[in-house]
Amino acid sequence: MIPAMTAVAVRSHRRRGSSWRGPAGGSAVALRWGRFAVMGGVAVLILLAGVWGSWGVAQHVMLTKGREQGTVAVARCDGEWCAGRYAPVSAGSTARSRVVIAESVAVRVGGTYAVVLKPGTDEAVRSGPAGVLFAWVPLGGALLLASVVVAGGLGRVRAGWVLAGSGVALLTAAFVAI
């Protein structure tokens, strides 16, 4: 055996088992914690943005008590909006000759859709399971984006897979429901 190899092997073995971090030990720990804090903050910010983007529509779809509920028979689509006659279903709701609903992949001329009216407007949003899932689509995208940050930036691969799986499940459910 060559004496230099034994010294290197023993020295490297001792370094792994000891708490000695070398001249940059403290700054390496600070950088590691700094990266953890920044990436954690970015992931939380992405998720909050997804919730914020979803809540604008989701609040009307999920909290329907006291809101006008009914159906819209779509008569015309123009750019980003479709319009049609509103027929009330809930008590206290009045029929309207024209309400608008955001045109999406699932809104077609001639179709009738269950909707909830936004208070004080003639704007309708889809209701029911399809409407709830469609309202939370921005959160599904945020979950997918945050999964990359959590897995790559934080090194938490399992948590990243959980976030990605949740996002894919939400987006798939919304696609199937609509």
Side-chain angles (χ1 to χ4, degrees), residues 11 13 31-32 35 40 45 52 63 79 90 97 103 105 113 126 136 140 162 165 171-172 177:
R11 189 167 141 192
H13 177 68
L31 285 173
R32 192 175 313 123
R35 184 187 75 181
L45 184 65
W52 184 272
L63 306 173
S90 65
S97 60
E103 181 182 21
V105 201
Y113 304 99
R126 296 273 306 256
W136 288 105
V162 168
L171 293 173
T172 302

Side-chain angles (χ1 to χ4, degrees), residues 136-151:
W136 288 105
V137 163
L139 178 63
L143 285 166
L144 285 174
L145 185 57
S147 72
V148 175
V149 174
V150 168

Side-chain angles (χ1 to χ4, degrees), residues 74 77 82 101-109 113 126 178:
V74 176
C77 288
C82 290
I101 185 169
E103 181 182 21
S104 69
V105 201
V107 177
R108 303 275 188 252
V109 174
Y113 304 99
R126 296 273 306 256
I178 294 223

Side-chain angles (χ1 to χ4, degrees), residues 56-82:
V57 174
Q59 65 178 328
H60 301 293
V61 178
M62 296 175 68
L63 306 173
T64 59
K65 186 175 182 179
R67 300 191 194 269
E68 293 184 71
Q69 300 177 25
T71 59
V72 170
V74 176
R76 187 179 117 211
C77 288
D78 204 20
E80 295 181 9
W81 297 95
C82 290

